Amino acid sequence: METDTKTIRKELQKIFEKKVIFNHPLSEITTLGIGGSAQYFISAHNEGDILNAIRFAKEHSLPFYLIGSASNIVANDKGVRGVVMQHSITTLEINNETKICRVGAGYSLLPLIHILNKQGLSGMEKMAGIPGTVGGAIYGCAGAYGQEIKDCLIKIKIFDGKKVRPLTRDQCKFGYRTSIFKQRKNWIILEADFQLINADPKSLKKTSRDIMKLRAKKYPPDLKCPGSFFKNIVIDAIRPAALKKQFLSKVDLQKINHGKLASGYLLEQVGAKGQKSGDIAVAEYHGNLIYNAGNGKSKDVKKLANLLKKKVQKKFGITLEEEVQYL
Ligand SMILES: Cc1cc2nc3c(=O)[nH]c(=O)nc-3n(C[C@H](O)[C@H](O)[C@H](O)COP(=O)(O)OP(=O)(O)OC[C@H]3O[C@@H](n4cnc5c(N)ncnc54)[C@H](O)[C@@H]3O)c2cc1C
């Protein structure tokens, strides 16, 4: 027999106390500023919270979703039934001899980079300005300015739905904006170990600062967006060979950089810049930047994204793949 909502709420309050919020508006959490309410929103501050939340959802047959900082998420206007758990484990240990940093997956990337820069530890400084948590970055193999989260990662600790266990970097199966976690949606990254190297704190800080200045031009602080909307095109991944040949005959080959073609370029060619659906718009200055101009809705995000995908498919014969995750 299904437990009624009142009993579920009581039980959740008993287990999680202030760490649970009922009907929490996701529009207040997502960087895109959209989304209905999460029925049971739990902030998990330690492994116990995570395991309890998963067990609870299972026992009550409730859907379960995991988020970090929600900087890459398009949340449904209708809200989310069940448990939405925000990973908030922010433990941090830095071994100054080995230069290994062990960090909770809920730790935000930018404050972590600030600490590492201060201590003269290099490996992440170019990712300054990517919003989100360490776990979210590993999930999507985040990166910028020639550095990716996988570069200095040694191993991680995960919960695989049954037990807590280690995973090597190779086992994470990283690729361009992807990892094994995109297939194993029930695996949860708990913490990560990074091997850093010595560098001059002043120059690390300058690198991060300069990059953040550049980034602020594309992403002004008050812009409600989830970062780049679509993944870029990895030329060697286009199959079959005939499609690749046809595609290459239609694009400016000069635009291919390190084996990738920016989807922003393709979107520009199909007139994406400035297109709108309701309050959701494509930036006038970047074809791959979809933002919420005020009271945007997820249905408009999907409508606009599908329209753009169709246009690119028609002109170039390939299908753009979302970098953002739908919730
Ligand atoms: C202004 C702006 C600029 C951006 N620039 C960049 C950029 O330069 N490069 C780049 O790569 N990205 C960029 N992004 C996208 C986004 O910041 C990254 O994808 C980020 O790594 C997402 O982290 P998050 O904690 O917010 O994850 P969320 O958005 O909360 O979640 C994303 C996915 O990760 C999963 N996830 C989160 N934590 C865990 C965990 N612990 N274990 C397992 N799965 C987990 C979630 O289930 C979800 O499917 C940008 C976003 C914004 C808003």
Side-chain angles (χ1 to χ4, degrees):
M1 202 179 72
E2 255 183 44
T3 325
D4 63 86
T5 312
K6 211 170 147 191
T7 314
I8 288 182
R9 281 184 170 217
K10 253 190 182 168
E11 285 182 31
L12 279 171
Q13 226 147 20
K14 207 170 143 195
I15 304 169
F16 295 102
E17 299 175 340
K18 285 186 180 155
K19 292 185 252 184
V20 61
I21 305 173
F22 305 117
N23 297 322
H24 192 37
L26 289 166
S27 56
E28 287 179 9
I29 302 165
T30 56
T31 54
L32 188 55
I34 64 172
S37 295
Q39 192 178 18
Y40 308 118
F41 185 84
I42 298 172
S43 298
H45 291 267
N46 52 53
E47 277 182 37
D49 287 344
I50 289 185
L51 303 186
N52 280 338
I54 294 169
R55 195 178 310 127
F56 189 91
K58 231 181 217 169
E59 275 170 14
H60 293 84
S61 306
L62 292 167
F64 176 88
Y65 306 94
L66 167 69
I67 59 167
S69 296
S71 64
N72 207 20
I73 279 177
V74 179
N76 199 304
D77 300 323
K78 291 185 182 136
V80 179
R81 193 181 84 79
V83 174
V84 175
M85 186 187 75
Q86 183 162 48
H87 198 312
S88 308
I89 300 184
T90 55
T91 48
L92 178 63
E93 280 168 54
I94 298 173
N95 185 322
N96 288 312
E97 272 174 29
T98 60
K99 322 264 175 284
I100 291 175
C101 158
R102 173 166 292 177
V103 60
Y107 212 102
S108 295
L109 214 49
L110 186 58
L112 175 65
I113 292 169
H114 284 323
I115 290 172
L116 297 177
N117 285 353
K118 216 170 161 183
Q119 298 203 13
L121 295 171
S122 165
M124 298 208 195
E125 61 282 357
K126 292 182 183 165
M127 289 185 281
I130 301 180
T133 60
V134 167
I138 294 172
Y139 174 92
C141 193
Y145 294 88
Q147 223 171 44
E148 284 184 317
I149 195 82
K150 69 168 171 46
D151 296 345
C152 57
L153 184 80
I154 328 172
K155 62 176 174 145
I156 60 175
K157 186 164 86 172
I158 63 157
F159 178 65
D160 67 5
K162 288 193 179 110
K163 59 180 191 302
V164 173
R165 64 181 172 100
L167 217 62
T168 63
R169 185 185 122 136
D170 282 352
Q171 288 172 317
C172 292
K173 297 197 176 147
F174 288 116
Y176 166 62
R177 298 293 174 269
T178 194
S179 72
I180 192 160
F181 301 99
K182 288 200 172 176
Q183 280 125 50
R184 309 282 183 149
K185 296 270 186 191
N186 66 330
W187 286 10
I188 296 179
I189 302 152
L190 298 171
E191 66 177 22
D193 283 11
F194 295 100
Q195 177 68 69
L196 304 150
I197 53 168
N198 276 335
D200 171 34
K202 259 194 198 159
S203 101
L204 290 175
K205 283 182 200 169
K206 183 176 178 332
T207 300
S208 295
R209 211 173 35 239
D210 289 351
I211 285 175
M212 287 181 71
K213 265 190 211 154
L214 281 176
R215 293 180 64 97
K217 286 185 190 149
K218 182 174 173 192
Y219 301 116
D222 54 353
L223 186 75
K224 292 186 198 169
C225 77
S228 298
F229 199 89
F230 295 105
K231 286 184 181 185
N232 292 328
I233 310 298
V234 179
I235 301 298
D236 279 348
I238 303 175
R239 303 268 194 285
L243 177 64
K244 183 170 153 186
K245 199 174 159 197
Q246 204 181 40
F247 176 72
L248 290 175
S249 72
K250 291 179 184 170
V251 300
D252 178 355
L253 300 178
Q254 308 260 13
K255 301 277 177 191
I256 298 172
N257 203 350
H258 297 290
K260 290 191 205 89
L261 185 69
S263 48
Y265 159 79
L266 300 180
L267 287 158
E268 195 181 330
Q269 303 303 304
V270 299
K273 286 179 175 175
Q275 290 234 351
K276 273 187 148 193
S277 175
D279 262 359
I280 298 294
V282 180
E284 295 280 359
Y285 59 92
H286 202 296
N288 195 18
L289 180 49
I290 292 182
Y291 69 98
N292 175 3
N295 194 22
K297 302 283 172 220
S298 71
K299 71 170 175 34
D300 288 318
V301 175
K302 283 186 188 160
K303 202 168 146 191
L304 191 55
N306 286 336
L307 176 77
L308 298 175
K309 279 167 92 166
K310 264 188 201 151
K311 286 187 172 192
V312 169
Q313 170 66 43
K314 196 170 169 206
K315 190 169 168 87
F316 296 102
I318 59 153
T319 308
L320 291 179
E321 189 189 335
E322 277 92 339
E323 187 174 320
V324 297
Q325 307 291 303
Y326 291 106
L327 178 68

